[in-house]
Amino acid sequence: MPLYANLVAFAALAAAVWFAGTRLSYLADALGARIGVGHAIMGFLFLAALTELPELVTTVAAAVQGDAALALNNMFGGITMQTAILAVADAVAVGATLTAFPRKPTTMLEAAFLILLLALGYALAAYLVTAQDEDYAWRPVAREEPKHGQDRWVQQFRALSLRELALQSAGAALVILVCGVLLVEVAQAIADQSGLGRSFVGATLLATSTSLPELSTTIAAVRMHAYSMAISNIFGSNLIMLLVLLPADLL
């Protein structure tokens, strides 16, 4: 397709990923409430795993094809872009900075494990964070509890059955995966047609496109006042990207 058609396709696919990611945040909140799992764990494990699907597929495909520059720039560009999403989410948060809201040390542990992943391993990090989430909560001074349960969309999603939540989550994840992979293909075509090169596009446009699920889910989580889920989503996504580094190198 010509360059303008690829640009239009890129915008349409990005819109689809944004919609699916936003819906996925509400589904994560409702699923967590139904099975008794906190926002931090749902963001760290559930949201992070599903929103990373496009980047995982892209990285593996690039590695198998021998395109090391695209694979590495996608991973490191994705980590940088995902971290920058926290600044965007912080601007959306009302009343205080985003990090002022979490009630437990879970998110602080996630940040520490992001640094120590290569030494400790992802499985150990997930186990310890999950165990810590069941421990004592913070006792903030002069801070009201987030009223995420009063959101109209939150109530609608929480009224769904567990089966409906699971099916809709799978559907949203499928949209994110398919559209995310197509976004990568279109981004590569734009890189070739524009003459910008795949290394540059991998660290900018490609990283941006594959980070759209994290952006949409994080913004949606902040809007429903699920601040721990928003922060944990980014830290969990970064941990997964670091985890993929060795398998990608082997491939």
Side-chain angles (χ1 to χ4, degrees):
M1 298 189 298
L3 178 59
Y4 77 88
N6 280 323
L7 290 172
V8 172
F10 185 90
L13 290 167
V17 169
W18 184 276
F19 174 80
T22 300
R23 191 173 187 85
L24 197 58
S25 284
Y26 286 96
L27 289 166
D29 169 78
L31 273 172
R34 185 61 58 88
I35 63 179
V37 176
H39 280 155
I41 301 305
M42 291 303 295
F44 186 70
L45 298 178
F46 180 80
L47 278 185
L50 296 186
T51 55
E52 278 298 296
L53 287 174
E55 286 176 319
L56 293 176
V57 172
T58 303
T59 301
V60 170
V64 171
Q65 295 168 8
D67 196 341
L70 181 63
L72 285 174
N73 280 296
N74 179 38
M75 281 192 292
F76 294 131
I79 290 171
T80 305
M81 189 64 65
Q82 290 162 9
T83 306
I85 288 172
L86 284 176
V88 178
D90 193 62
V92 177
V94 178
T97 57
L98 187 63
T99 51
F101 291 102
R103 293 297 189 275
K104 300 177 181 179
T106 310
T107 51
M108 185 170 60
L109 276 174
E110 291 164 359
F113 280 127
L114 182 57
I115 300 170
L116 299 173
L117 173 65
L118 295 179
L120 298 178
Y122 179 76
L124 179 60
Y127 168 77
L128 290 178
V129 167
T130 303
Q132 183 63 44
D133 187 65
E134 299 172 357
D135 207 339
Y136 300 103
W138 293 113
R139 291 178 175 83
V141 178
R143 176 69 61 195
E144 294 182 1
E145 288 287 336
K147 296 180 174 56
H148 57 271
Q150 297 180 358
D151 186 283
R152 177 171 61 90
W153 291 105
V154 169
Q155 298 296 342
Q156 287 187 8
F157 279 96
R158 288 191 177 189
L160 298 176
S161 67
L162 186 60
R163 181 175 180 274
E164 290 174 320
L165 290 172
L167 289 175
Q168 290 199 31
S169 297
L174 183 62
V175 171
I176 289 174
L177 174 60
V178 173
C179 292
V181 172
L182 290 176
L183 272 173
V184 172
E185 297 294 330
V186 174
Q188 291 173 348
I190 292 174
D192 295 336
Q193 292 171 335
S194 64
L196 293 174
R198 292 197 173 188
S199 293
F200 175 79
V201 170
T204 54
L205 184 61
L206 183 56
T208 303
S209 62
T210 53
S211 294
L212 280 174
E214 287 85 3
L215 179 60
S216 60
T217 52
T218 301
I219 295 299
V222 170
R223 285 178 173 172
M224 74 171 80
H225 306 300
Y227 301 110
S228 295
M229 187 164 68
I231 298 173
S232 298
N233 179 28
I234 299 302
F235 287 157
S237 296
N238 280 351
L239 284 166
I240 291 174
M241 289 305 293
L242 287 177
L243 175 68
V244 175
L245 183 59
L246 179 59
D249 196 39
L250 294 174
L251 289 170

